[in-house]
Amino acid sequence: MSGDLGLFGPDSVTWRLHSEPILMLGGLRSLYLQALHPKAVAGVTQNSGYRNDPWGRLTRTSAYVGTVIYGTTEEAERAASRVRRRHSRMTAVDPRTGERFRIDEPELLRWVHVAEVESFLTTATRAGVRLSPAEVDRYYSEQLKAAELMGVDPATVPATAAEVSAYYEEMQSRLSLTRDGIETAMFLTVPPVPQSWGSRAFRLGLTLGPTRWAYFGIAATAVAMLPPWARRMYGGLGWPTTDLTADLSARGLRLLLSSVLATIPRSLRVAPMREAALARAAAARA
């Protein structure tokens, strides 16, 4: 439907928030957070080829999120249906108990959802995006639609900042840093340079040069932006000064991204899915 504005639309907090490039940092933060759930990270490790094709997996995940946020209702539902079908065939073994489980268990899907949307929201606001408490809660409630698409009963998903805080408090006793979690975190911090990216000398330059150190700084900021209890699980410190330093880094990165993107043609800095959504919204208001 040409006039279908999708699950959220131009008046939603979701559209406003997801127009921010700094959400890439939030996505990375969410992966570090998700890796603290032993079964969730085992499910990814045992079923995903992310180690062989990390950038491809990142591209596919970004495309899915973009479709849910900006696609038509039909596009979002079709994309979610494909993911649900794929997940329904996958199982994994809990490394702590030896128990085999389905990776689409509601608890695991709920954890991934909450870690993702909370990371997007927290990263954006700490980087300087201004949202009122009511708008924060509205974002969480809007994202119940995304949770439902993945097969989670929205009545079981935290829908306000207070409910998310309580959920994290409840979940902490179920979280721990397993070997899978450690290896995933290390992989996120030092990802490989794809073989397809130019010559061996060029790839070596990316591995050892300033680009690598720049990425390492972004990864360090993502870890520093984790909740204090999550940082402690990774062996870090939960000091308030870490939060302050992370906030300053995120604000600086947001300003840098804005400056750089301002020099790039719109066709290269605005995703086609978002451009199409904006066109539909403009047509609906005409």
Side-chain angles (χ1 to χ4, degrees), residues 45-68:
T45 300
Q46 295 174 34
N47 286 279
S48 172
Y50 78 92
R51 294 184 186 278
N52 298 322
D53 184 25
W55 304 106
R57 186 176 190 275
L58 176 62
T59 299
R60 291 188 293 273
T61 300
S62 297
Y64 173 77
V65 173
T67 301
V68 171

Side-chain angles (χ1 to χ4, degrees), residues 78 80-90 104:
R78 188 165 60 243
S81 178
R82 287 195 297 268
V83 174
R84 288 198 310 273
R85 285 198 303 271
R86 188 160 61 247
H87 286 176
S88 69
R89 299 190 294 267
M90 296 180 180
D104 59 356

Side-chain angles (χ1 to χ4, degrees), residues 9-259:
D11 297 325
S12 66
V13 179
T14 294
W15 271 32
R16 175 183 168 189
L17 195 70
H18 284 261
S19 68
E20 290 282 341
I22 196 62
L23 259 65
M24 70 171 191
L25 180 63
L28 184 57
R29 176 191 186 270
S30 76
L31 296 177
Y32 282 109
L33 194 54
Q34 291 171 28
L36 290 174
H37 194 302
K39 290 176 70 174
V41 73
V44 172
T45 300
Q46 295 174 34
N47 286 279
S48 172
Y50 78 92
R51 294 184 186 278
N52 298 322
D53 184 25
W55 304 106
R57 186 176 190 275
L58 176 62
T59 299
R60 291 188 293 273
T61 300
S62 297
Y64 173 77
V65 173
T67 301
V68 171
I69 300 300
Y70 292 114
T72 64
T73 302
E74 181 183 356
E75 288 170 337
E77 290 177 344
R78 188 165 60 243
S81 178
R82 287 195 297 268
V83 174
R84 288 198 310 273
R85 285 198 303 271
R86 188 160 61 247
H87 286 176
S88 69
R89 299 190 294 267
M90 296 180 180
T91 63
V93 175
D94 187 334
R96 303 162 304 172
T97 65
E99 169 201 8
R100 181 165 292 278
F101 62 91
R102 290 173 55 117
I103 71 166
D104 59 356
E105 288 183 359
E107 177 186 330
L108 304 183
L109 297 177
R110 185 164 48 249
W111 169 251
V112 170
H113 170 82
V114 175
E116 182 178 87
V117 298
E118 184 272 327
S119 288
F120 284 151
L121 182 58
T122 296
T123 299
T125 55
R126 290 176 64 179
V129 177
R130 295 185 178 181
L131 294 177
S132 68
E135 288 173 324
V136 167
D137 285 347
R138 184 178 166 193
Y139 176 72
Y140 281 128
S141 65
E142 288 174 357
Q143 288 302 306
L144 294 179
K145 297 176 183 177
E148 187 171 19
L149 275 183
M150 291 307 299
V152 186
D153 180 356
T156 68
V157 179
T160 65
E163 290 178 2
V164 169
S165 180
Y167 171 76
Y168 277 163
E169 187 70 28
E170 174 192 349
M171 287 297 296
Q172 287 178 43
S173 63
R174 309 180 200 178
L175 306 178
S176 64
L177 187 59
T178 61
R179 179 175 179 177
D180 285 337
I182 293 172
E183 292 179 351
T184 297
M186 290 297 296
F187 189 87
L188 292 171
T189 306
V190 191
V193 177
Q195 292 290 321
S196 59
W197 286 18
S199 66
R200 183 175 183 277
F202 179 71
R203 294 197 305 274
L204 185 62
L206 289 179
T207 300
L208 302 177
T211 302
R212 169 68 74 188
W213 288 105
Y215 175 80
F216 182 78
I218 292 172
T221 300
V223 173
M225 295 193 77
L226 291 171
W229 54 264
R231 293 201 304 269
R232 286 192 291 268
M233 287 186 179
Y234 276 115
L237 300 175
W239 291 348
T241 51
T242 304
D243 293 322
L244 176 60
T245 301
D247 289 355
L248 293 173
S249 296
R251 286 171 183 265
L253 181 59
R254 181 175 179 241
L255 290 175
L256 177 62
L257 286 171
S258 297
S259 299

